[in-house]
Amino acid sequence: DDHVALKIHSGATENVRVDREIAALQGFDHPCLASLVEHGTLSLNGEQYRYVAWRFIQGTALDERLKGGPISAKAVACVGRDVARAIDHIWQKRIVHRDINPKNIMLSPREDSAVLIDLGVARFLDLRVLTAAGRTWGTPGYFSPEQWYGPGENLTCHSDVFTLGVSLQEALLGRHPTLGDQQTLLNSRTPTSTLSPTAPAAL
């Protein structure tokens, strides 16, 4: 009778990325991460599908919320606190999320807490690389320099911290700090104090 967020994968065949996400999150129980409820296969109209059910998170994806304008500095700080806790927790298992951006951050209705979702393209450093050489996973406009330029085995939690920083600037401004341009992001590194001079100094 639980309410869940349901992810459906076409075909019931083995999918290594899905298997890794399930295996990792079966051992996780953290308030700042989506928790796994159940997974399995089902049949619809004669076709086989795999499903993964996650704890349903009350709130709104940050990218949807930002369509209505920036959030408060206090809310930005809450997002930073909670997503940083999630980064720290997955890094204890040597996992790099690789796709932290507003669409993968759920903001609570009161805007005082956040949850990081979707480890579907995460890099598991203790397991063999699945991504082909010269290719990377993630969302353009948020890539850290080492994710954009370097081989995947060099990634650490620092890359997730970088993408969190971009997301926090976006939340504070109500728009992407470089309007989504990846090269400008890599070349400019504009400080938050320049982008938003009225923001609290501590933030």
Side-chain angles (χ1 to χ4, degrees), residues 9-80:
H9 301 274
S10 59
T13 57
E14 180 181 8
N15 182 314
V16 177
R17 291 194 184 279
V18 175
D19 292 338
R20 286 186 176 184
E21 184 178 14
I22 290 170
L25 290 170
Q26 277 180 323
F28 279 166
D29 183 17
H30 194 280
C32 300
L33 284 166
S35 55
L36 183 67
V37 175
E38 181 181 304
H39 65 92
T41 60
L42 55 87
S43 179
L44 290 173
N45 300 321
E47 297 291 330
Q48 294 296 308
Y49 297 87
R50 294 185 69 181
Y51 71 88
V52 185
W54 307 94
R55 171 175 61 92
F56 184 78
I57 300 164
Q58 293 287 349
T60 307
L62 184 57
D63 66 331
E64 288 295 319
R65 168 60 183 82
L66 294 177
K67 291 178 181 178
I71 61 177
S72 69
K74 182 178 180 180
V76 173
C78 291
V79 171

Side-chain angles (χ1 to χ4, degrees), residues 136 141-152 154-155 158-163 166 182-189:
T136 189
Y142 299 89
F143 287 116
S144 66
E146 62 272 22
Q147 191 176 0
W148 184 252
Y149 293 120
N154 292 336
L155 289 182
H158 294 164
S159 184
D160 283 344
V161 172
F162 182 95
T163 55
V166 178
Q182 180 65 45
Q183 287 301 327
T184 302
L185 177 70
L186 296 176
N187 295 333
S188 65
R189 314 286 182 87

Side-chain angles (χ1 to χ4, degrees), residues 102-134:
K103 77 175 185 293
N104 286 330
I105 297 171
M106 294 295 295
L107 185 64
S108 67
R110 295 176 58 183
E111 301 190 355
D112 58 355
S113 64
V115 175
L116 179 63
I117 64 171
D118 198 350
L119 271 75
V121 300
R123 173 73 178 95
F124 296 75
L125 295 183
D126 291 339
L127 301 176
R128 68 180 177 86
V129 176
L130 297 177
T131 305

